[in-house]
Amino acid sequence: MVGLNIGSGGRWPMKRWRLDGFTWLAKRLKKGKNRYGILLYGGPEERELMPALAKKLKGACIPTGTENTLRQFASLVGLADVMVTGDTLALHVAVALGKRVVAYFGPTSDAEIDLYGRGEKVLPSSPCQCYYQNQCIQKVSCMDNLEEKDMLAAVERQLKQVGD
């Protein structure tokens, strides 16, 4: 099972990756030779985004809900073998649970996060110019420069590590 955390929390909306990126990634994971299960994660801010993404994926994923308590959320994160997430609560919960993680970064520093040998970091092709800002002032956000193929390759590498 691959968990896709589409959330970023209310304080840092620019940490969120593009929905079309998540859509592309989920479709590739479902079409691959292994056809992985997909779980969608998010919080209250994703109340509208999660059903929209699930509808785009036409039954290829299972939404885990957006109104979970912290304990429920942690239990649901425990269902994923690999968690794809930004610098969010899901990242920290997944690492604490010993899950494999693909962590993407943009407006926060990847150097401040340790994955404890349980995953890898994906960085945008161009560096962020708006570190720790709530809004991006660039024409093209660094999060728009996260490459789908890099995310897929990282997920596939982490799936090979499951069980190690």
Side-chain angles (χ1 to χ4, degrees), residues 8-82:
S8 64
R11 186 163 182 339
W12 302 106
M14 294 309 299
K15 287 190 201 181
R16 184 181 295 130
W17 192 34
R18 309 179 317 277
L19 282 183
D20 65 312
F22 281 117
T23 302
W24 184 93
L25 181 60
K27 286 180 178 179
R28 292 312 175 283
L29 290 168
K30 291 302 280 187
K31 286 183 181 178
K33 62 181 176 184
N34 295 317
R35 299 181 53 100
Y36 298 103
I38 308 292
L39 297 168
L40 295 181
Y41 295 84
E45 292 83 5
E46 289 72 47
R47 187 177 297 118
E48 295 174 12
L49 294 175
M50 190 178 292
L53 182 55
K55 185 176 179 181
K56 272 185 161 181
L57 294 172
K58 300 177 183 159
C61 65
I62 300 170
T64 62
T66 59
E67 305 296 331
N68 298 301
T69 65
L70 180 57
R71 186 172 293 210
Q72 290 167 331
F73 184 74
S75 294
L76 290 164
V77 169
L79 298 174
D81 295 303
V82 175

Side-chain angles (χ1 to χ4, degrees), residues 90-160:
L91 167 65
H92 301 290
V93 170
V95 168
L97 292 174
K99 297 297 176 176
R100 303 303 307 179
V101 175
V102 172
Y104 55 87
F105 292 86
T108 57
S109 173
D110 68 294
E112 296 177 7
I113 304 297
D114 192 342
L115 300 179
Y116 301 96
R118 301 290 302 167
E120 61 186 277
K121 299 173 183 179
V122 178
L123 305 177
S125 57
S126 63
C128 182
Q129 301 296 314
C130 307
Y131 265 146
Y132 297 102
Q133 305 269 338
N134 288 11
Q135 297 297 320
C136 183
I137 58 172
Q138 302 299 310
K139 288 183 182 177
V140 178
S141 163
C142 61
M143 296 303 282
D144 290 333
N145 289 323
L146 281 171
E147 301 288 339
E148 290 93 344
K149 62 180 175 42
D150 295 341
M151 296 287 272
L152 178 60
V155 172
E156 289 173 338
R157 284 189 296 272
Q158 292 309 305
L159 284 164
K160 288 179 184 173

